[in-house]
């Protein structure tokens, strides 16, 4: 089976940096996705990692260590609009290439 | 503009009634998915379809049914057998199931409540 763990909530201040961690256990890891979801809205794709290392995309970066079953999403220069839930999702070969398993999400609150 | 359209945005169901949630995409994507989201829970996969006229059960398929007669459309029926249907339902699509780095793109969701 799969197990994906993320912190439930985090708080940070506008302009700061925050790191949201995700740990996972899979039988056939084949990629990890991060999504952002504002309350009552659709999740939107942020980043994808399949190899170890850091992927940078503007203010957002995502890191993966396959040997540790660990990823993090790094948000820099936080803005109020970054207040949202951040979802970690893993693709597992054992479940087929189509499907993702999602963590419960980390609710980030950015304060002035 | 290409995208995924879910309708209606809000839906109310009476006890013992079946309801159908619509999902249409004009992205020319092969694969489509239905998820359920409850407060404090992650997205849970109900059904998915990799290609027209084919679909597979996800983790929580009981009480739901789907069809995939056209590439663009993947409607979800919540049957009376689903005892706790109140949730936020999200439809998604991805270009193909064969390439692992393709992200899933989501519709705006349908919020279903029981009267």
């Amino acid at each position: 089976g799969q197990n994906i763990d993320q912190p439930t909530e985090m708080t940070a201040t506008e302009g700061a940096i925050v790191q949201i961690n995700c740990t996972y256990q899979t039988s056939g890891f084949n990629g990890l996705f991060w999504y952002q979801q504002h309350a009552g809205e659709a999740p939107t794709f942020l980043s994808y990692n399949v190899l170890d290392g850091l992927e940078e995309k503007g203010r957002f970066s995502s890191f993966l260590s396959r040997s540790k079953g660990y990823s993090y999403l790094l948000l820099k220069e936080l803005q109020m609009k970054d207040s949202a839930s951040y979802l970690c999702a893993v693709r597992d070969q054992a479940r087929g290439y189509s499907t993702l398993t999602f963590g419960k999400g980390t609710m980030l609150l950015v304060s002035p | 503009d290409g995208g995924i359209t879910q309708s209606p945005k809000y839906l109310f169901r009476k006890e013992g009634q079946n309801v159908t949630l619509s999902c249409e995409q004009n992205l020319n994507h092969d694969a489509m998915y239905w998820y359920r989201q409850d407060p404090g829970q992650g997205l849970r996969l109900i059904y998915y379809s990799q290609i027209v006229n084919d679909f597979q059960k996800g983790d929580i398929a009981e009480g739901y049914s789907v069809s995939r007669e056209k590439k663009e459309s993947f409607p979800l029926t919540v049957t009376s057998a689903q005892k706790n249907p109140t949730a936020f339902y999200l439809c998604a699509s991805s270009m193909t199931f064969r390439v692992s780095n393709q992200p899933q793109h989501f519709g705006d969701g349908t919020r279903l409540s029981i009267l």
Side-chain angles (χ1 to χ4, degrees):
Chain A
Q2 297 195 344
N3 192 29
I4 301 174
D5 287 316
Q6 308 177 232
T8 303
E9 290 181 355
M10 298 183 70
T11 58
T13 307
E14 199 173 11
I17 299 173
V18 71
Q19 178 175 310
I20 302 173
N21 296 326
C22 172
T23 58
Y24 63 88
Q25 295 172 326
T26 66
S27 51
F29 177 81
N30 196 37
L32 187 144
F33 294 80
W34 283 97
Y35 285 83
Q36 179 191 61
Q37 185 181 24
H38 287 98
E41 297 183 8
T44 55
F45 168 69
L46 292 177
S47 69
Y48 170 76
N49 296 73
V50 67
L51 299 177
D52 290 350
L54 189 68
E55 294 283 341
E56 297 188 77
K57 200 184 281 188
R59 292 190 300 115
F60 292 6
S61 304
S62 57
F63 171 82
L64 176 68
S65 168
R66 289 172 295 171
S67 62
K68 295 181 180 177
Y70 168 68
S71 173
Y72 67 72
L73 181 69
L74 192 71
L75 291 74
K76 303 176 187 174
E77 301 169 15
L78 281 173
Q79 302 174 9
M80 298 295 288
K81 67 178 182 179
D82 296 330
S83 291
S85 184
Y86 291 86
L87 311 177
C88 172
V90 172
R91 176 166 280 142
D92 186 345
Q93 272 183 273
R95 284 169 54 95
Y97 285 99
S98 279
T99 63
L100 296 177
T101 300
F102 284 81
K104 294 183 178 180
T106 299
M107 181 65 68
L108 174 65
L109 178 63
V110 180
S111 57
Chain B
D1 282 332
I4 302 173
T5 302
Q6 289 188 242
S7 62
K9 193 170 179 66
Y10 298 95
L11 186 59
F12 298 91
R13 193 190 91 169
K14 294 181 181 178
E15 294 283 352
Q17 194 177 46
N18 292 356
V19 290
T20 297
L21 283 60
S22 170
C23 178
E24 303 278 331
Q25 55 99 359
N26 61 2
L27 299 167
N28 200 32
H29 284 174
D30 286 326
M32 297 187 74
Y33 315 82
W34 274 105
Y35 292 93
R36 170 183 173 139
Q37 188 173 33
D38 296 281
Q41 299 277 339
L43 275 67
R44 292 184 290 168
L45 183 65
I46 304 172
Y47 268 98
Y48 65 101
S49 169
Q50 296 175 340
I51 200 166
V52 175
N53 292 323
D54 181 66
F55 50 82
Q56 307 293 332
K57 291 182 179 180
D59 299 316
I60 55 165
E62 186 174 349
Y64 300 97
S65 66
V66 293
S67 62
R68 186 85 187 278
E69 297 175 3
K70 297 187 298 182
K71 188 175 186 178
E72 307 80 35
S73 179
F74 191 41
L76 174 74
T77 297
V78 184
T79 74
S80 57
Q82 172 49 243
K83 297 307 177 189
N84 186 23
T86 297
F88 188 46
Y89 290 86
L90 286 160
C91 178
S93 70
S94 63
M95 190 177 296
T96 173
F97 67 93
R98 295 183 182 88
V99 180
S100 60
N101 67 348
Q102 294 298 315
Q104 294 180 13
H105 300 270
F106 288 84
D108 287 335
T110 292
R111 194 165 295 279
L112 175 63
S113 301
I114 298 301
L115 291 177

